[in-house]
Amino acid sequence: MSKLTFDGIAYNRTAEESVLDCLTRHGVVVPNSCRSGICQSCMLRAVSDDPPAAAQKGLKETQKEQRYFLACSCIPSGDFEATSELPQLTRTSAQVRAVEKISPAIARVRLDYSRPFDYRPGQFLNLYRPDGLIRTYSIASVPQFEDFIELHVQRTEQGRMSRWVHEELKSGDLVHISAPLGECYYRPGNTEQPILMVGTGSGLAPLYGVLRDALRAKHSAPIWLYHGSRTRDGLYLIDELRSLAREYENFRYFPCLSRESGYEAFLAARANDAALTEHKNLKGWRVFIAGHADMVGATKKRVFLAGASLGDIHSDAFLLARN
Ligand code: FES
């Protein structure tokens, strides 16, 4: 048992417990969402000792220097002191412009935001509900095309945030958002490099942003997008993507259904299976993968084995929140 001091109060912590688990067990409320070191919503700051390196994965160098860390990934080796005071972290307010159901499962949320808010299509942000609940969503909008931020929120039965968005959030409401995070976005240049995109469910959001950013940047090599869902309800933006495929001859779009058959217009397969059956050699390709963490992890391995280099594989993995 070691001592964890948080905002001046000492708590007992077991050797295997993360800072987040310890504080939660003692009834201390720390914002969190993914509990996997991805969303950065559980960020705290160490008072004197440096946090373990694993707890600073994905943070900016300036944040590391100031001993910021992620409480869900932080298992100190002994006594440790932390604070919730984070002078550099910014949260900004945003006003809901529109909430629109674009499929039975997906709500498209458009937010008006105050500038400057520099983001790349495909990055993600944390959305804060007024009661403090936090969830992470990827950005589908492209700032050069749209003066709002667009998020796609997939409804899940146990999802407190997603049910609230689908059932209660409306135009004019105020929410807060974090600064944009994440590395899953289009890097300009090398426009001759073919691109493969694989996504499931609302994993289409970052891919839709990345795709339009690449087309805007006149990416001339072929771009293949495979979007999958178990059932027809989970496929969306079909008309928009088909229209882009007609407009840009280097873009090809394949909607995929893995559990429902009888639709001639869709491939009857998982998106990653369909993509890797068609593309067996990915040497020299750029690959974007977004969706549930299990699918993303498995697909990353497969595209790497098919020849894509690690530096060319960009991914955005979603986890269902545990609270
Ligand atoms: S990074 Fe800790 S809860 Fe998401």
Side-chain angles (χ1 to χ4, degrees):
M1 197 71 83
S2 60
K3 186 170 74 172
L4 169 65
T5 306
F6 180 62
D7 285 346
I9 299 173
Y11 303 93
N12 289 329
R13 187 182 63 80
T14 62
E16 313 77 37
E17 231 175 3
S18 70
V19 168
L20 179 61
D21 286 341
C22 171
L23 293 174
T24 304
R25 179 169 59 81
H26 287 286
V28 181
V29 177
V30 176
N32 68 86
S33 179
C34 71
R35 289 178 169 253
S36 302
I38 297 170
C39 73
Q40 301 189 2
S41 61
C42 63
M43 198 169 329
L44 300 176
R45 191 162 58 86
V47 170
S48 48
D49 296 330
D50 286 338
Q56 294 190 304
K57 214 171 150 200
L59 301 191
K60 295 178 189 154
E61 284 311 311
T62 50
Q63 292 172 325
K64 290 181 186 173
E65 282 161 17
Q66 292 174 82
R67 295 195 292 271
Y68 284 61
F69 68 93
L70 303 174
C72 66
S73 313
C74 182
I75 304 180
S77 54
D79 291 352
F80 191 67
E81 183 169 2
T83 174
S84 59
E85 283 172 30
L86 309 173
Q88 277 214 336
L89 280 195
T90 51
R91 234 186 239 202
T92 180
S93 62
Q95 186 166 38
V96 177
R97 181 183 293 195
V99 181
E100 185 192 354
K101 285 270 183 68
I102 52 175
S103 86
I106 305 287
R108 175 163 65 192
V109 178
R110 289 180 168 167
L111 301 172
D112 288 316
Y113 59 102
S114 34
R115 279 74 174 167
F117 185 87
D118 292 326
Y119 72 90
R120 303 289 187 87
Q123 286 191 293
F124 61 84
L125 53 74
N126 289 323
L127 177 68
Y128 298 84
R129 204 167 71 170
D131 65 359
L133 186 70
I134 307 169
R135 293 292 179 265
T136 302
Y137 296 102
S138 301
I139 305 175
S141 45
V142 177
Q144 289 81 0
F145 295 152
E146 287 120 8
D147 62 353
F148 49 78
I149 291 172
E150 179 169 313
L151 312 174
H152 299 164
V153 178
Q154 182 160 0
R155 184 186 168 109
T156 58
E157 269 328 295
Q158 304 307 320
R160 287 192 287 152
M161 181 71 96
S162 73
R163 277 190 290 130
W164 176 73
V165 168
H166 277 249
E167 292 167 14
E168 295 179 43
L169 192 68
K170 60 186 184 313
S171 165
D173 286 351
L174 274 185
V175 291
H176 282 85
I177 54 176
S178 71
L181 299 160
E183 303 293 321
C184 185
Y185 57 81
Y186 177 78
R187 275 88 174 155
N190 206 0
T191 57
E192 304 291 310
Q193 184 179 27
I195 293 179
L196 177 66
M197 296 180 165
V198 180
T200 51
S202 57
L204 181 61
L207 301 185
Y208 189 57
V210 169
L211 166 69
R212 293 184 304 137
D213 204 23
L215 294 173
R216 182 190 69 81
K218 305 199 181 329
H219 199 92
S220 55
I223 303 175
W224 300 64
L225 167 62
Y226 293 81
H227 179 223
S229 168
R230 291 178 178 173
T231 60
R232 174 68 184 79
D233 284 358
L235 292 180
Y236 64 99
L237 294 181
I238 296 167
D239 291 345
E240 288 86 343
L241 288 162
R242 285 190 173 142
S243 160
L244 285 173
R246 282 192 295 275
E247 188 179 347
Y248 294 90
E249 59 180 33
N250 62 324
F251 170 53
R252 291 182 199 162
Y253 162 57
F254 300 92
C256 307
L257 287 179
S258 59
R259 294 249 177 108
E260 273 184 0
S261 52
Y263 290 95
E264 273 183 23
F266 308 137
L267 297 180
R270 292 196 173 113
N272 56 358
D273 290 339
L276 281 143
T277 301
E278 178 71 29
H279 306 283
K280 293 197 166 54
N281 182 357
L282 293 172
K283 191 163 189 289
W285 285 59
R286 217 184 295 192
V287 183
F288 294 87
I289 311 163
H292 191 276
D294 293 344
M295 184 285 290
V296 169
T299 308
K300 264 170 107 167
K301 265 191 215 153
R302 292 174 67 181
V303 300
F304 176 69
L305 292 173
S309 72
L310 278 180
D312 279 331
I313 304 172
H314 308 281
S315 62
D316 186 357
F318 305 164
L319 287 160
L320 292 180
R322 285 203 269 142
N323 60 346

